Amino acid sequence: MKKDPLEYLTEEQLDELLKCTDQPFHEKNKKEIKNKFTIKKNILKKKRHKKRRWIIGGSTAALGLLLVGFTFRDDLSLAYKKRFGTDTEILLLNSDKLSQEVTDQGLRLKAVASFKDGNNQYLVSQLTDLTGDRLAKDTVIEHWEMFSGGNTQVVNYDEGTKTATLVTSAIGADATPISGFQLRSFASQEKNFIKTFTPKWEEIVKPAKSWIDLTKQESQGGGFDEKGAKKLGITWDEIIKEGLKPLEVNEKLDQNFTISNIAYKDNLLHVQLKIPNEPKLAAIFPSLAVGEKEIEPIVDFSVDEGTHNNQTGRSDYQEYVFAISEADLMQAKLLLNGWNWGVYQEGNWLIQLKEAKELPITNLPDQEIDGATDKVFLENITLSPLALDFDYTGNLVNVPIKLTYKDGTTFRLDEDISHFQEGKKEHYRYEFGLKDNKEIQSIKIGASELNLESKKTTTSEED
């Protein structure tokens, strides 16, 4: 049975631990805890006699892990397990305990812990509703700032304390090691909806509408069903070259949605919607229903006229293109599936942070491997318990990365490595899990196996 690390602590070490906890221990609590673990230590004393040297080492390690605090350690371990996996001891050992907090709009944001992994800094924080029930399990962090960006996830929500635990992964920590975390808005309490409309299709197919060339927009955005478009023999560029001019129809569907333009041409139905500039509207997915059959758009793209002023980051109009015959179109219904947020809360929660403690990093030598079409040169290769980072020149699109541990555990990534540009150096980070670097048996990129012999050891690793 796994032993509690507190069993290894001496009287002096336990005193030191109790000083560091967030829990308000008084002398009675302290005596009860000491008595509990003294009894355990006495029972196991004979069994451990032959392992005295190991026990001393275990005591030091346990103290190192626990000095950040008992209740703090439990909460932090839960957050790390949900975000990174089950092996969290190395993160606990390398995390700085934080205590900064700020309250705004009746919500308190408290920094809990942070650590640094190369150019990435991770922050664990807790958001607590002190006056209401605005948080929930589905809480999404909408707007936040730290370094050059990244992501912030809600990994746990405690209904009893009305507390959401957040894990932020921010890039740019090397350039500006001291920073702040600013939370500006969040949304929660998702509410799904479906709306059904029957436009006057017979009127839509008759008149010629005004078309505009959208290739001149700086960014079209949207989605593209490559297989569906290929069957029809059309490309993305061909479709967006002929988009609808806004406000040619302006048919209000209800108090929220308006068809700003709609047209049918060459068995393609273009539906342009004016999307509400309302943060509580999370997402909308139009489709056509013909009897029991549902038809998804093969293309959708934005048409930005600059009227939304970036309140939501949403473009003014979104155009959806459906492949449908005229016979089916006359029987079709327009469906709008989506969801709203019950709560959209804005505020200003700003916490200043110190430079975080670093994870042990192993630097690997520069090396050349086989890429998608030619040789790829890797440099600035670093390996941490969380990720493999490297800069590369060459083509790694569709080249899989496979990491194998000595215990047989494997991690594999088959997704495209994005931002490939011929002759230009790119950076890539492969976050695979959480284990000790020494347990790695091999890392393969495509058919090439990396040389894992350390080029040099960082100060944090020597410690």
Side-chain angles (χ1 to χ4, degrees):
M1 184 175 69
K2 188 174 181 180
K3 302 174 180 65
D4 194 301
L6 284 173
E7 296 175 26
Y8 300 125
L9 302 187
T10 64
E11 291 284 315
E12 294 76 21
Q13 290 169 340
L14 186 55
D15 281 335
E16 189 65 27
L17 168 64
L18 297 178
K19 291 177 186 177
C20 298
T21 60
D22 286 333
Q23 186 174 340
F25 280 104
H26 48 69
E27 203 59 35
K28 182 180 178 182
N29 299 133
K30 185 174 171 181
K31 286 180 181 178
E32 288 176 353
I33 291 176
K34 283 187 176 182
N35 289 338
K36 176 182 176 183
F37 290 103
T38 298
I39 293 170
K40 280 192 175 184
K41 288 167 79 172
N42 289 336
I43 293 173
L44 299 172
K45 190 174 181 181
K46 292 183 180 180
K47 293 182 181 180
R48 295 185 186 159
H49 183 68
K50 294 181 181 180
K51 297 182 180 179
R52 182 176 296 274
R53 183 174 298 177
W54 178 84
I55 290 172
I56 293 172
S59 173
T60 305
L63 180 62
L65 291 171
L66 290 165
L67 281 181
V68 289
F70 183 55
T71 55
F72 157 75
R73 184 180 185 273
D74 289 345
D75 290 344
L76 189 57
S77 182
L78 175 63
Y80 284 156
K81 283 179 181 178
K82 290 193 172 186
R83 173 63 176 82
F84 301 106
T86 55
D87 286 334
T88 62
E89 295 301 298
I90 195 165
L91 293 188
L92 292 171
L93 182 61
N94 288 279
S95 293
D96 290 312
K97 182 186 178 183
L98 304 175
S99 59
Q100 304 97 310
E101 63 178 64
V102 62
T103 300
D104 185 30
Q105 310 292 316
L107 292 129
R108 181 183 65 213
L109 179 68
K110 180 180 179 181
V112 176
S114 69
F115 66 89
K116 187 177 175 184
D117 182 13
N119 191 40
N120 295 263
Q121 183 164 321
Y122 293 83
L123 167 69
V124 179
S125 58
Q126 291 183 323
L127 183 64
T128 303
D129 194 338
L130 304 174
T131 61
D133 293 292
R134 288 164 287 183
L135 297 166
K137 289 182 180 180
D138 62 3
T139 298
V140 172
I141 304 303
E142 289 283 334
H143 297 99
W144 63 277
E145 293 177 11
M146 181 175 170
F147 294 129
S148 303
N151 68 78
T152 294
Q153 297 175 291
V154 175
V155 296
N156 187 60
Y157 178 67
D158 187 325
E159 293 183 1
T161 61
K162 301 179 182 179
T163 298
T165 300
L166 321 179
V167 176
T168 299
S169 169
I171 58 175
D174 279 350
T176 48
I178 300 175
S179 73
F181 174 74
Q182 183 178 26
L183 172 62
R184 292 188 286 117
S185 66
F186 67 85
S188 66
Q189 300 176 25
E190 176 184 314
K191 297 178 180 179
N192 297 309
F193 66 80
I194 180 168
K195 298 174 181 284
T196 304
F197 305 100
T198 308
K200 298 174 182 177
W201 301 119
E202 64 277 3
E203 297 297 324
I204 290 167
V205 298
K206 290 179 182 178
K209 298 296 188 298
S210 301
W211 302 87
I212 55 176
D213 184 354
L214 295 177
T215 58
K216 296 178 181 178
Q217 282 195 162
E218 289 185 8
S219 175
Q220 293 88 23
F224 184 54
D225 178 359
E226 291 187 27
K227 291 182 179 179
K230 190 174 182 179
K231 287 180 181 178
L232 297 170
I234 54 177
T235 66
W236 167 270
D237 288 337
E238 288 172 340
I239 291 177
I240 64 170
K241 192 173 181 64
E242 198 170 54
L244 293 172
K245 186 177 181 180
L247 302 180
E248 290 291 289
V249 173
N250 213 27
E251 179 183 342
K252 205 165 183 64
L253 297 175
D254 63 10
Q255 69 273 21
N256 295 311
F257 297 98
T258 299
I259 295 179
S260 65
N261 206 343
I262 189 167
Y264 185 72
K265 182 180 180 181
D266 300 330
N267 290 319
L268 294 178
L269 174 70
H270 291 245
V271 179
Q272 188 184 90
L273 294 178
K274 183 170 180 61
I275 308 296
N277 188 31
E278 169 56 56
K280 281 192 174 184
L281 176 65
I284 180 71
F285 301 100
S287 63
L288 297 175
V290 182
E292 297 296 319
K293 181 172 66 174
E294 188 170 355
I295 301 172
E296 305 285 347
I298 58 169
V299 179
D300 70 272
F301 50 85
S302 61
V303 183
D304 200 350
E305 294 285 300
T307 63
H308 277 183
N309 299 319
N310 285 328
Q311 287 177 264
T312 61
R314 192 175 291 140
S315 61
D316 299 277
Y317 309 93
Q318 196 73 14
E319 190 163 323
Y320 304 87
V321 182
F322 302 85
I324 185 171
S325 68
E326 186 171 335
D328 282 344
L329 180 61
M330 294 303 154
Q331 307 174 55
K333 294 182 184 297
L334 176 64
L335 305 180
L336 299 183
N337 287 275
W339 73 89
N340 289 304
W341 295 116
V343 171
Y344 186 87
Q345 179 67 59
E346 295 180 316
N348 184 23
W349 299 270
L350 175 61
I351 293 176
Q352 293 297 322
L353 301 169
K354 63 180 181 179
E355 186 172 359
K357 187 174 182 179
E358 293 205 41
L359 287 180
I361 301 292
T362 301
N363 294 277
L364 302 182
D366 297 344
Q367 44 200 293
E368 192 176 66
I369 64 168
D370 293 322
T373 56
D374 209 339
K375 294 290 184 181
V376 175
F377 185 67
L378 308 182
E379 56 183 334
N380 302 320
I381 310 171
T382 61
L383 189 62
S384 79
L386 283 182
L388 171 69
D389 282 90
F390 56 80
D391 295 325
Y392 71 97
T393 306
N395 189 350
L396 284 177
V397 175
N398 292 325
V399 176
I401 298 177
K402 184 179 180 181
L403 183 143
T404 303
Y405 284 103
K406 293 175 182 177
D407 64 3
T409 305
T410 62
F411 292 89
R412 183 181 175 94
L413 184 74
D414 294 298
E415 298 175 5
D416 289 356
I417 296 181
S418 58
H419 310 301
F420 167 64
Q421 294 185 41
E422 192 69 42
K424 184 179 178 181
K425 185 190 294 184
E426 298 290 344
H427 180 77
Y428 187 68
R429 177 174 173 85
Y430 171 37
E431 190 173 292
F432 48 78
L434 184 62
K435 277 180 179 281
D436 194 321
N437 291 348
K438 296 175 184 177
E439 298 300 314
I440 296 175
Q441 181 170 304
S442 67
I443 298 177
K444 277 190 172 183
I445 302 180
S448 303
E449 187 168 324
L450 290 188
N451 174 9
L452 299 182
E453 185 178 346
S454 175
K455 181 173 65 174
K456 63 179 181 177
T457 306
T458 62
T459 303
S460 59
E461 193 175 20
E462 288 174 350
D463 293 342

